[in-house]
Amino acid sequence: MLDDANDTMSELKSVTVEAVTVKAAGDRYSSRVTTDLASRCTSKTTWPNGAVLEQIRIGETDYVRPNRTYIDKWKGRATADGKKQDIWSKVPTSRATPGDGLVACPREFASFGTAKKGETTTVDGSPAIEVVVTDKADKGGTYTFYVATEGRPYILKTVYKGADLDTTTTFSAFDEPLAVRPPAKVIG
């Protein structure tokens, strides 16, 4: 069942992915990505300290717009005011580095670990079945996939519960038209 859902998700032309992660210490960060699963996407990531990074990726070009808190975080200064910047910067995707908040547009949907069929439920009004996955490599972590039982077997939601953090990821806007364009005001 999960393999069929992964295949269905991999065939999508577009999807919106929203994730909220809560660390054991209580810190919470969130992200929203709308992607064609290839080379065009938009994202917005928000960190617990108020830092926000918006991104538009088109092919090999990133357009990024951080707020003041994000800029101060990376420059090692005290936070000024967290206000949104109105100007986007244009940079090549090759300048993206792990941990900088920028996302890649492709997303892999693959099975792992040991899957067990769970309860029937609903996700935002859509009938679904739980598929609970454990993996020996992730000691104590459990993934629960919620797979649609009507229409195509989309993954509607994934909940990860681990020792150090919990993440809830929802999927929506399956194959909806994707309007990813460069922003009007750009520097760089």
Side-chain angles (χ1 to χ4, degrees), residues 16-96:
T16 296
V17 182
E18 295 182 71
V20 175
T21 298
V22 180
K23 293 185 176 182
D27 288 344
R28 172 188 177 109
Y29 62 93
S30 62
S31 65
R32 176 185 170 92
V33 177
T34 300
T35 177
D36 67 359
L37 300 171
S39 64
R40 300 171 72 83
C41 58
T42 63
S43 75
K44 181 177 181 179
T45 305
T46 305
W47 286 271
N49 66 354
V52 177
L53 178 63
E54 294 176 89
Q55 170 193 7
I56 299 170
R57 180 169 282 188
I58 301 172
E60 298 298 317
T61 302
D62 276 327
Y63 300 91
V64 295
R65 180 168 63 179
N67 70 352
R68 176 59 57 196
T69 303
Y70 179 92
I71 293 168
D72 290 345
K73 171 186 160 189
W74 288 107
K75 290 185 179 177
R77 297 190 308 226
T79 306
D81 58 16
K83 289 185 181 175
K84 185 176 182 179
Q85 304 294 98
D86 288 331
I87 299 175
W88 292 80
S89 298
K90 178 180 176 181
V91 295
T93 59
S94 61
R95 287 190 40 201

Side-chain angles (χ1 to χ4, degrees), residues 66-143:
N67 70 352
R68 176 59 57 196
T69 303
Y70 179 92
I71 293 168
D72 290 345
K73 171 186 160 189
W74 288 107
K75 290 185 179 177
R77 297 190 308 226
T79 306
D81 58 16
K83 289 185 181 175
K84 185 176 182 179
Q85 304 294 98
D86 288 331
I87 299 175
W88 292 80
S89 298
K90 178 180 176 181
V91 295
T93 59
S94 61
R95 287 190 40 201
T97 59
D100 66 5
L102 297 177
V103 301
C105 301
R107 184 175 186 95
E108 183 179 343
F109 295 97
S111 295
F112 55 89
T114 304
K116 182 175 81 173
K117 192 173 179 180
E119 303 291 321
T120 57
T121 187
T122 59
V123 176
D124 293 328
S126 296
I129 186 125
E130 296 176 350
V131 179
V132 180
V133 176
T134 55
D135 188 14
K136 289 180 184 178
D138 184 4
K139 295 174 181 36
T142 302
Y143 295 84

Side-chain angles (χ1 to χ4, degrees), residues 1-2 4-5 123 126-131 145-150 152-157:
M1 174 182 281
L2 191 53
D4 289 342
V123 176
S126 296
I129 186 125
E130 296 176 350
V131 179
F145 294 85
Y146 296 82
V147 179
T149 57
E150 290 183 2
R152 299 196 66 202
Y154 294 125
I155 298 173
L156 303 175
K157 179 168 79 170

Side-chain angles (χ1 to χ4, degrees), residues 2-3 5-12 15 17 35 37 106-112 145 155 158 169 171 174:
L2 191 53
D3 288 337
N6 287 328
D7 290 345
T8 299
M9 297 297 284
S10 296
E11 294 169 0
L12 288 171
V15 66
V17 182
T35 177
L37 300 171
R107 184 175 186 95
E108 183 179 343
F109 295 97
S111 295
F112 55 89
F145 294 85
I155 298 173
T158 303
T169 306
F171 302 89
F174 305 107

